[in-house]
Amino acid sequence: MIQLVTLDMAGTTVTDHHEVEACFAEAALKTGLTVSKERILAMQGLHKYFVFQTLWEEHFGTRMHPEWQMRVDKSYKVFTEVLEHHYLTHEVTPTEGCLELFDYLHQQNIQIALTTGFYRKVTDIILKKLGWLEGLDEQRVGTSATVIQASVTSDEVEKGRPHPFMIQKAMRLLGVDDTGKVLNVGDTPSDIQSGFAAGCRMSVAVTNGTHTREQLASHQPDRLIGSLRELVDVLEELK
């Protein structure tokens, strides 16, 4: 029986209209970084600071360039300002089937952990707007009565996706010690890969987020679903 479902946020549990990519593009433009929409999309789900490290390395051809670190820090700072302003001033909504899935998981006594490539400050802005922050303690751990039982961000672990550390931290926080009882869900290649790296029972990809079915299929997730509503059937099969 599955004891824990770990889910990505933007594009998986939180409706995404490609605004994160737009914030990346705006920050890149403001700080002199030329990058295509396709390249930005390919890096969704990863730790945001790491993304700028990678993009500026690609721009200069090396991390040894004397301006590399300065440019990375400047782009990331502008990105955080743009991103926080966006989420503070725009509506935030759950994805199709998300709340129905949460209800099902509560009924089945399956814990819910949200993992994200975002950092804590903007994650809390999103969680608060959705009402999902209520009841969580300082470690962002809740109870069976809270909407979610844990929230883990990429700046709270050694490395973000595609590494398994956010999933592993969620397991520790919630007392789950068997990866075979964990199901991971996300809408990006790095989400899928993190589930594989953690050894989850299944790593499921949802196709109504940032990537298409075709884009995700090449990464061979254990299951491709159209929305979180379909995850109920997947969980029923695993009983």
Side-chain angles (χ1 to χ4, degrees):
M1 171 64 84
I2 297 297
Q3 295 181 348
L4 170 64
V5 175
T6 57
L7 302 110
D8 170 57
M9 289 183 62
T12 302
T13 53
V14 180
T15 306
D16 184 273
H17 299 292
H18 297 281
E19 56 259 67
V20 180
E21 295 156 60
C23 291
F24 261 112
E26 182 177 343
L29 181 64
K30 287 182 174 179
T31 56
L33 177 62
T34 302
V35 57
S36 68
K37 292 180 180 179
E38 292 74 20
R39 187 69 181 114
I40 293 174
L41 176 62
M43 302 191 78
Q44 290 303 297
L46 300 175
H47 189 297
K48 309 312 179 190
Y49 188 79
F50 171 77
V51 173
F52 282 111
Q53 287 179 313
T54 303
L55 294 175
W56 276 111
E57 181 180 5
E58 291 173 356
H59 175 85
F60 287 125
T62 176
R63 293 192 177 198
M64 301 303 293
H65 190 283
E67 292 187 13
W68 176 77
Q69 187 65 61
M70 178 193 70
R71 295 293 189 108
V72 170
D73 290 341
K74 177 63 174 177
S75 290
Y76 183 71
K77 182 177 185 296
V78 172
F79 169 70
T80 60
E81 293 168 353
V82 171
L83 189 70
E84 289 167 22
H85 176 75
H86 171 81
Y87 280 114
L88 283 168
T89 57
H90 288 76
E91 182 183 19
V92 181
T93 60
T95 55
E96 176 189 346
C98 176
L99 297 182
E100 294 90 334
L101 172 66
F102 284 4
D103 286 343
Y104 170 84
L105 295 175
H106 283 294
Q107 292 165 13
Q108 300 297 316
N109 295 314
I110 298 174
Q111 299 186 92
I112 303 165
L114 300 186
T115 62
T116 178
F118 289 146
Y119 52 99
R120 173 51 62 192
K121 182 177 180 180
V122 77
T123 299
D124 282 353
I125 291 171
I126 296 168
L127 292 176
K128 185 175 181 179
K129 280 207 161 190
L130 289 166
W132 299 352
L133 189 62
E134 186 174 349
L136 302 188
D137 64 19
E138 290 184 357
Q139 286 190 293
R140 304 306 187 269
V141 176
T143 68
S144 59
T146 53
V147 176
I148 64 171
Q149 282 62 64
S151 163
V152 181
T153 63
S154 59
D155 62 333
E156 296 172 336
V157 295
E158 180 183 352
K159 293 181 179 179
R161 302 184 187 112
H163 300 280
F165 302 126
M166 285 196 288
I167 296 171
Q168 292 169 347
K169 179 173 182 178
M171 292 175 64
R172 289 194 302 272
L173 290 172
L174 298 175
V176 178
D177 56 14
D178 182 355
T179 56
K181 295 181 179 180
V182 180
L183 190 149
N184 182 61
V185 190
D187 67 303
T188 68
S190 63
D191 293 326
I192 299 167
Q193 293 157 8
S194 66
F196 291 156
C200 294
R201 173 71 178 275
M202 295 184 75
S203 195
V204 177
V206 64
T207 63
N208 65 339
T210 59
H211 287 65
T212 65
R213 177 174 291 270
E214 292 72 25
Q215 289 170 328
L216 293 169
S218 64
H219 296 274
Q220 300 182 315
D222 292 309
R223 192 71 64 88
L224 276 168
I225 58 175
S227 75
L228 289 181
R229 186 173 287 113
E230 296 177 32
L231 194 65
V232 172
D233 291 336
V234 175
L235 289 161
E236 284 291 314
E237 292 173 16
L238 296 176
K239 282 186 175 181

